[in-house]
Amino acid sequence: MKINAFSKTYEGRKVLDMPEMELTSGKIYAVIGANGSGKSTLAKCLAGILTTDQKQQILSPDISVGYMPQKSYAFRMNVEKNIFLGSKDLIRAKKLMKDLQIEHLAKKSAAKLSGGETARMALGRVLMKTFDLLILDEPTAAMDMETTSLTENLLMEYCRETGCVLLLVTHSLQQARRVADEVFFYYKGKLVESGKKEHVLYSPEMEETQKFLKFYGE
Amino acid sequence: MQSALAKAVALILSADAELCNILSVTAKMSISSSLIALILGVPIGIWLGSSRFRGQSILLIINRTLMGMPPVVCGLIFYMLFSGVGPFGKWKWLFSVRIMILAQVVLILPIVVGNMETYVTGIAQTVKETAKGLGLSGWKTFFLLMNECVYQICSTYLLAFARSIAEVGAVSMVGGAIAWKTNVMTTAIMQYTNRGNFSLGIALGLILMTISLVVNILISVMQRRINR
Ligand SMILES: Nc1ncnc2c1ncn2[C@@H]1O[C@H](COP(=O)(O)OP(=O)(O)OP(=O)(O)O)[C@@H](O)[C@H]1O
Ligand SMILES: [Mg+2]
C-alpha cells in the first residue's frame, strides 16, 4: 500500500511533512511523538478528513480507510446501537463487546458511559468493519491497564485475521514495543526516524529519537 | 381589583365566546408561524453549523442582526409592503391572520436558525469525523447529525412558539387587532386595558402566563436532556 508524499500547513505553519511511504498488509505501525508533533494531523489526513496542501489523493481511492478520532464520540443512542453503526453483523458485535468487556453496558445510553467505556465502545464500533487501512488515534489513552492489555491483544488478532494495515497513534513506548512491527517517530511535524521497532525503539540513530526514549525512561 | 380577578376566573371557567375566539386566533397564528419557521430554519441552521464556505461569517452576522430586529420595525416593513400603495397591496392581506403569520415567521426564523447553528457547530465536526471514520455515507451522516439534534429541535420549537405567542408589536401593526378576526391575546390585553376592561385582560394574562410556564418547564426538561 503506497502513501504519496504530502504536507499540511495551518495558519502558515507547516505542522506535518510526510515523505512517500510503503505500508505492508497485516502489519502494525506505531506512530509516536510528543504533544503537537503532528500525529493526529497525520491520522486525519490519511482518513481523508483534512485536505492536504497538495490537494490530491494520498491513497489510492480503492483503499478503504477506517479511523477512530482521538476524542471518542458517543452517539445519542444506546451502546449496542452505536456498535451497530459500524455494521449489522450480530455475531461480530457479540464477540467484540465480550472482548472489550462492554456486554453489560449494551442497553445503556452511550452518553452516560465513562471516558474509558466510551473509548471501548468507539473501538468496538470501528472494528465492526474490515478496512484495508485502520487508523486509531490513541485508542487506549483513556483505558486502564487491564483494558489496554485486552485491547492490544484484540488489535493484534484483528490485524492477523483481516490482514489490514493498522496505524496506531500512541503516547506509550511500552505499547509500541508490545504491539508494533514498525515505528514512525515524529518530531515537530517531521518524520525523523522510521523502520523496524527493534531499530527505532531500541537503538535509534537520530538524536531526537534518543532524547525521546531517554525521557520516557530508557 | 379583587372583583376584576374574580371576573377573570369566571370568564375562563365559563369559556366566554370572545375569549375563546381570541385564544383560537392566537393558537392559529403562533402554531403556524412557529412551525413554518421551524421547518425552514432547522435545515438552514444545520447547514450553517455543519459546513464551511466562503461568505459564511457574513450570513451569520446578518442572521444575528435579524435575531435582534425590533418587532415594530418588522411590522412597519410588512405594513408598507402590503398597504394599499405597497407592491403587494392588491393581495389584500393587510389586517389578516395570514400576514400576521408571515411577519411572525420573519421575526422567529433567525432565532431558529441561530439556535440550531450554535448547537450544530459544537458537534458537527466530531460527528462528521466519527461517521467518516466508520465509512458511513453522506446521507447516513446527515441523519445521524439530525438524530443528535432531536432535543435541540424540540426546545428550539418551544422557544419559537413562546416568542410568537408573546409578541405584540408586529402583529398589532399588520393585524390591526380587529375583534373576532385578528385579535390575539397580547393585542387584546392592550385593547381591554385601554378601555378599562381589566377582567378580560387579566384572564388573558393568566392564560398567557400559564402557557409560558408550561413551555418553559418543557424547555428546561429538554435542555437537561441535551446536557446529558
Ligand atoms: N485546526 C488547527 N488549526 C491550527 N493549528 C492546528 C490545528 N490542528 C492542529 N494544529 C496544530 O498542529 C500541530 C500538530 O497537532 P496534532 O493534533 O497533530 O498533534 P498530536 O501529535 O496529535 O498531539 P497530541 O499528542 O497532543 O495529540 C500542533 O502544533 C497544533 O497546534
Ligand atoms: Mg493527537
Side-chain angles (χ1 to χ4, degrees), chain A residues 90-175:
Chain A
L90 209 79
I91 298 163
R92 197 159 176 171
K94 276 240 163 64
K95 183 194 176 296
L96 280 169
M97 289 207 275
K98 187 160 172 280
D99 288 349
L100 290 164
Q101 299 188 336
I102 47 174
E103 288 162 300
H104 61 294
L105 302 169
K107 301 285 180 206
K108 189 167 172 154
S109 153
K112 297 199 177 105
L113 297 182
S114 76
E117 287 168 345
T118 309
R120 279 188 263 169
M121 177 194 72
L123 183 65
R125 192 165 60 192
V126 75
L127 293 183
M128 282 293 284
K129 267 200 180 138
T130 309
F131 300 97
D132 301 322
L133 170 62
L134 178 62
I135 305 159
L136 305 176
D137 197 345
E138 302 196 29
T140 61
M143 294 181 191
D144 58 37
M145 299 235 275
E146 191 194 339
T147 321
T148 301
S149 159
L150 284 172
T151 301
E152 288 170 359
N153 293 334
L154 181 64
L155 290 178
M156 289 192 275
E157 177 192 307
Y158 178 88
C159 273
R160 244 194 341 267
E161 281 173 6
T162 66
C164 84
V165 176
L166 175 62
L167 208 69
L168 179 68
V169 177
T170 179
H171 259 125
S172 156
L173 272 184
Q174 280 70 26
Q175 181 163 71

Side-chain angles (χ1 to χ4, degrees), chain A residues 44 47-49 65-67 69 71 73-77 85-86 111 125-126 129 131, chain B residues 119 123 125-127 129-136 140 144 147-148 151 225-226 228:
Chain A
K44 284 183 193 167
I49 282 159
V65 185
Y67 163 68
K71 245 176 98 186
Y73 187 79
F75 288 100
R76 211 184 289 282
M77 45 186 92
L85 285 174
R125 192 165 60 192
V126 75
K129 267 200 180 138
F131 300 97
Chain B
Y119 180 72
I123 60 164
Q125 189 68 15
T126 330
V127 168
E129 285 180 10
T130 305
K132 172 112 193 176
L134 293 169
L136 303 180
K140 181 82 194 172
L144 271 177
N147 186 54
E148 296 301 289
Y151 293 120
R225 292 228 159 177
I226 289 168
R228 311 186 172 194

Side-chain angles (χ1 to χ4, degrees), chain A residues 29-40 70 136-143 148 152 167-179 183-186 201 212-213 215-217:
Chain A
Y29 295 82
V31 178
I32 58 172
N35 287 147
S37 56
K39 306 182 297 295
S40 293
Q70 189 164 3
L136 305 176
D137 197 345
E138 302 196 29
T140 61
M143 294 181 191
T148 301
E152 288 170 359
L167 208 69
L168 179 68
V169 177
T170 179
H171 259 125
S172 156
L173 272 184
Q174 280 70 26
Q175 181 163 71
R177 286 191 171 133
R178 285 191 297 260
V179 304
V183 176
F184 295 131
F185 174 69
Y186 281 87
L201 295 181
F212 185 79
L213 293 191
F215 216 77
Y216 275 78

Side-chain angles (χ1 to χ4, degrees), chain B residues 109-216:
Chain B
L109 184 62
I111 297 168
V112 173
V113 171
N115 226 23
M116 289 309 297
E117 188 269 330
T118 310
Y119 180 72
V120 171
T121 301
I123 60 164
Q125 189 68 15
T126 330
V127 168
K128 278 179 10 187
E129 285 180 10
T130 305
K132 172 112 193 176
L134 293 169
L136 303 180
S137 69
W139 277 110
K140 181 82 194 172
T141 307
F142 179 76
F143 284 121
L144 271 177
L145 192 57
M146 278 290 257
N147 186 54
E148 296 301 289
C149 294
V150 166
Y151 293 120
Q152 182 68 21
I153 292 172
C154 294
S155 85
T156 299
Y157 175 73
L158 291 169
L159 184 73
F161 175 78
R163 282 290 292 240
S164 177
I165 205 168
E167 202 282 316
V168 57
V171 290
S172 67
M173 283 173 84
V174 299
I178 302 164
W180 300 97
K181 194 181 167 213
T182 59
N183 217 5
V184 289
M185 288 204 265
T186 50
T187 53
I189 291 175
M190 285 209 330
Q191 230 173 42
Y192 290 118
T193 308
N194 287 342
R195 286 187 207 148
N197 181 354
F198 292 121
S199 48
L200 199 51
I202 293 172
L204 288 166
L206 282 175
I207 297 172
L208 208 50
M209 292 300 290
T210 310
I211 295 173
S212 173
L213 178 71
V214 171
V215 167
N216 277 295

Side-chain angles (χ1 to χ4, degrees), chain B residues 21-31 165 183-186:
Chain B
N21 178 263
I22 291 169
L23 289 182
S24 92
V25 174
T26 309
K28 190 175 161 197
M29 181 204 64
S30 22
I31 293 174
I165 205 168
N183 217 5
V184 289
M185 288 204 265
T186 50

